[in-house]
Amino acid sequence: GMGWALLGVGLFLALYTLLRHGLRRAPPLRPRPALHGRTAIVTGGSGGIGAATALELARCGARVVLATRSALRGEAAARRIRTETGNPEVQFMQLDLSSLQSVRAFASAFLRQEPHLHLLINNAGVSAGGTTEDGFSLPFQVNHLGHFLLTQLLLERLQSCAPSRVVIVASSAHCAGRLRLDALGRPPPGLWPTFQDYCDSKLANVLHARELATRLQGTQVTCYAVHPGFVNTELFRHAPLWLKPFLIPLAWLFFCDTAEGARTSLHCATYEGLECFSGRYFSDCHLQEPWPPAHDDRLALALWEASERLVGLREPPGSPSR
């Protein structure tokens, strides 16, 4: 009995190791680009992929602003990155994407303090449910609407510093997204509303990059949506308890670490010659075709106009013009 059990465990571990290393092929490391004199914002930069992205940008010599909710974690991450890279130009600025007021306050503080912006990495993401102070579902506001407003408020600065880039961290979870334009930002119906909401927000991310690219033609500001890989970060701490025992071995098997997860963001932020792919979707540092709804230009435009209304950048239809 015991021998068979041990053999079974041994075989399982061998298979597991093979799978783990076979499935996770890392893209080749490229020489570091020189980013001295360039300024980058990374949202959600205090942990996970955001911190790994910020660390690498700082290593390349960029001035990096960690735009994140917790001052405690943000300051600690900035300190850690300054120490590790020897680059003193890394700082924390408070940004809570679940508050449109905070997004506006961050943008105006940034524009006052910082003369330049070359890279905007819209990286922050949540998978938790709940409702924001603005009355929208938490994942949809943090993952899409807050970033949409932030990007619009910083666009002039990106244009005046062009060539510049916007990277929007989406996910292959966009494949399950469904955008209900009449109920945008309200929790979706169904069995798994929080998961559905997360997928919807990620479809919105891919469509946002697509429409943004259309509007930015000729400005030398380009944008890219990226799937970071299934990264083993705190994003899953909100999974229901009964699901965690199933997720943990899966996470070990299929998920990559945060440094690997940051690679596609860094590729789209810094790699030469990607300008012709503005608005497209990348995974594993390669161009990929997203799922069909993410190709829909009419949906992209409708999402854009609805998002403008929801964040207060456009008058609702039928309202008196000032």
Side-chain angles (χ1 to χ4, degrees):
M2 194 66 186
W4 284 112
L6 278 172
L7 183 64
V9 168
L11 277 170
F12 170 78
L13 285 173
L15 180 68
Y16 171 82
T17 310
L18 267 173
L19 271 173
R20 183 176 161 97
H21 292 285
L23 286 168
R24 294 171 26 166
R25 59 183 199 296
L29 284 173
R30 299 203 170 88
R32 287 210 165 95
L35 299 178
H36 305 276
R38 318 275 285 165
T39 300
I41 292 174
V42 182
T43 70
S46 66
I49 309 176
T53 305
L55 176 71
E56 191 55 33
L57 292 170
R59 277 207 182 109
C60 297
R63 175 173 179 76
V64 183
V65 172
L66 303 183
T68 185
R69 194 180 50 195
S70 156
L72 202 67
R73 291 181 60 194
E75 295 285 11
R79 220 174 17 250
R80 196 171 64 241
I81 293 171
R82 287 195 298 267
T83 306
E84 203 171 320
T85 60
N87 178 348
E89 311 262 294
V90 180
Q91 60 164 42
F92 156 79
M93 281 179 74
Q94 220 253 334
L95 168 66
D96 181 356
L97 288 153
S98 72
S99 155
L100 296 178
Q101 189 191 337
S102 169
V103 174
R104 291 179 182 279
F106 169 87
S108 62
F110 178 88
L111 294 170
R112 262 199 322 278
Q113 291 168 34
E114 299 289 333
H116 303 296
L117 178 60
H118 304 93
L119 295 173
L120 172 58
I121 316 283
N122 288 334
N123 162 87
V126 295
S127 60
T131 307
T132 67
E133 64 181 48
D134 302 292
F136 300 116
S137 75
L138 184 69
F140 199 80
Q141 178 165 338
V142 170
N143 301 352
H144 171 63
L145 287 172
H147 279 129
F148 177 85
L149 177 60
L150 179 68
T151 306
Q152 289 306 96
L153 297 175
L154 297 174
L155 212 46
E156 264 179 47
R157 183 61 50 88
L158 284 161
Q159 287 180 4
S160 69
C161 295
S164 53
R165 294 184 184 185
V166 179
V167 175
I168 299 171
V169 178
S171 163
S172 61
H174 77 269
C175 68
R178 296 191 303 262
L179 292 182
R180 297 160 308 131
L181 291 166
D182 53 330
L184 210 56
R186 292 212 293 276
L191 199 57
W192 307 87
T194 306
F195 178 68
Q196 183 63 51
D197 218 356
Y198 177 76
C199 298
D200 295 353
S201 74
K202 293 294 144 184
L203 174 57
N205 288 154
V206 183
L207 288 166
H208 177 203
R210 193 172 177 90
E211 179 65 21
L212 183 59
T214 302
R215 288 164 183 258
L216 289 174
Q217 274 167 6
T219 62
Q220 285 198 290
V221 183
T222 53
C223 60
Y224 311 89
V226 306
H227 168 57
F230 290 100
V231 180
N232 207 347
T233 70
E234 305 96 76
L235 200 61
F236 290 91
R237 64 172 175 245
H238 304 292
L241 269 177
W242 61 267
L243 200 54
K244 286 197 168 149
F246 300 100
L247 284 179
I248 289 164
L250 264 180
W252 272 101
L253 193 53
F254 292 108
F255 292 16
C256 48
D257 63 32
T258 51
E260 283 176 65
R263 275 194 193 154
T264 306
S265 293
L266 290 160
H267 176 79
C268 288
T270 62
Y271 197 61
E272 296 285 318
L274 293 186
E275 289 76 11
C276 56
F277 301 120
S278 186
R280 304 286 296 278
Y281 173 75
F282 283 75
S283 176
D284 257 340
C285 297
H286 294 297
L287 192 60
Q288 268 217 337
E289 284 308 309
W291 285 69
H295 285 284
D296 185 336
D297 286 323
R298 279 187 314 195
L299 184 59
L301 177 59
L303 170 70
W304 183 282
E305 291 178 346
S307 301
E308 280 186 326
R309 282 196 295 277
L310 293 179
V311 301
L313 291 174
R314 163 192 281 259
E315 290 291 315
S319 67
S321 51
R322 298 207 239 303

